[in-house]
Amino acid sequence: MRPAHAFALPPGRRLRAALAAGIAILLATGLRARADEPEVPPGGRSEESLQEIARQLTNPVTTLWTLNFENTVTGVGGAGFGGVDPDYVGILQPVVPIGLSRFFPGDSEWARSYSIISELTIPFVETFPDHGTGFGDIQLAIGLAPVRRDGFVWALGPTFIFPSASSDALGQGKWQAGPAAVAGYMWKRWTAYAYAQQWWSFAGDKSRPRTSQLSLEYVLLRQLPGRWQAGMQPTLTVDWTASSGNRLSLPVGLGAGRTIRIGRYPVLFWLEADYYPVRPDDFPSPRWGITFQISPAIPQFD
């Protein structure tokens, strides 16, 4: 399953430190590749091989390990320039698929046909004009998915939010859980899917309001020559506890990206601009967003 959010990296030394940590994790996980899982050819230097890896990076149930760095600047209604105040949200997000055959050794066809995909989302938040800075609530999604590179793709499992924020203003103070699901289709040139997560609070700070919220990432991408991609992958959110005019935040967007090889690792770079035609009426809410994403991939190999 793919990311709904990402580790919004702040500027300056924190950004460099986060990138350095991510590269270290990337190199460490490169030693953990296994032969029991289907894979995109890792060592192929041909354009055709890299083009297929670029396509699989858009597959929500890919067998590639990825380490997503996402940096999002959002213009929130306020008193700043142009009537908006900027918020920065950064995400560090490792996505690790593990074949079921690892847990069920032997000649088991069904175990080789499925994988467990774990997605950990660690957010860092920096807001203006109050300059609130720190870690937000951590998310964890775990899904069972068939191993497929084409055709109908899906995944299903639980998702959690942990009250890990470094201050009350940067989190919701609640333990939350619910279902997560992915459904879509992969053609040779097109990728289309939706990734939904619903959370309900069940414990936490009793002085904080209960939560019931939906995150829905909807993706439509076109593969282009030269490992380029174009399309959109915005995320709408719904706060079910809000009044009817304040529940939905719906962005639409357009972006482009390209996969290149840096050393032995394929890396996807993606830039997207989003606009929010539907947003809450009665309190400051997002009006636009710009996202820059870097996703190094480690193919599974012997």
Side-chain angles (χ1 to χ4, degrees):
M1 293 183 288
R2 274 185 50 84
H5 302 286
F7 174 66
L9 300 173
R13 288 178 295 178
R14 289 193 296 268
L15 175 56
R16 292 192 293 271
L19 287 174
I23 292 171
I25 295 172
L26 175 66
L27 295 175
T29 55
L31 303 176
R32 298 285 308 278
R34 295 177 295 276
D36 61 342
E37 298 175 359
E39 59 190 84
V40 175
R45 297 283 177 174
S46 69
E47 176 68 18
E48 181 179 356
S49 175
L50 194 54
Q51 184 76 41
E52 175 60 15
I53 292 175
R55 194 174 76 92
Q56 289 306 314
L57 283 171
T58 68
N59 183 351
V61 298
T62 181
T63 58
L64 301 178
W65 289 15
T66 58
L67 188 61
N68 301 312
F69 299 89
E70 188 173 309
N71 186 22
T72 300
V73 180
T74 304
V76 179
F81 179 76
V84 298
D85 293 316
D87 282 354
Y88 298 87
V89 176
I91 296 172
L92 172 64
Q93 186 182 64
V95 181
V96 179
I98 301 176
L100 281 187
S101 57
R102 182 173 177 84
F103 307 104
F104 298 93
D107 189 18
S108 176
E109 182 65 29
W110 70 270
R112 290 196 299 269
S113 300
Y114 289 87
S115 64
I116 298 292
I117 303 176
S118 64
E119 173 190 284
L120 182 68
T121 302
I122 306 172
F124 189 95
V125 182
E126 190 165 356
T127 63
F128 289 89
D130 57 342
H131 298 283
T133 301
F135 289 98
D137 292 338
I138 292 175
Q139 301 175 18
L140 173 64
I142 303 172
L144 174 68
V147 176
R148 292 178 183 167
R149 299 181 190 175
D150 297 284
F152 178 66
V153 294
W154 60 269
L156 185 64
T159 181
F160 308 92
I161 294 179
F162 309 112
S164 58
S166 53
S167 69
D168 288 349
L170 301 178
Q172 296 174 305
K174 293 290 188 179
W175 294 85
Q176 304 173 58
V182 171
Y185 206 90
M186 291 223 25
W187 295 268
K188 183 177 181 180
R189 295 296 182 187
W190 288 93
T191 299
Y193 68 87
Y195 174 23
Q197 297 182 85
Q198 167 67 41
W199 300 278
W200 294 276
S201 59
F202 62 90
D205 188 343
K206 294 183 179 179
S207 66
R208 307 290 295 275
R210 69 178 182 88
T211 64
S212 175
Q213 55 192 334
L214 171 71
S215 169
L216 176 64
E217 181 186 23
Y218 60 100
V219 175
L220 180 63
L221 298 173
R222 167 72 173 177
Q223 301 293 329
L224 301 172
R227 306 178 309 281
W228 284 93
Q229 302 164 358
M232 61 178 180
Q233 42 188 355
T235 300
L236 70 85
T237 58
V238 181
D239 180 358
W240 300 110
T241 66
S243 58
S244 59
N246 297 302
R247 292 177 179 171
L248 177 63
S249 294
L250 171 62
V252 294
L254 183 63
R258 189 170 188 253
T259 299
I260 64 174
R261 191 184 294 277
I262 300 178
R264 63 186 296 186
Y265 298 106
V267 182
L268 169 64
F269 293 87
W270 178 263
L271 179 65
E272 177 169 334
D274 295 326
Y275 170 70
Y276 288 75
V278 180
R279 54 185 183 264
D281 298 329
D282 299 332
F283 52 83
S285 56
R287 297 186 180 181
W288 51 263
I290 299 174
T291 298
F292 178 59
Q293 181 176 329
I294 305 173
S295 299
I298 305 175
Q300 306 283 329
F301 57 94
D302 292 344

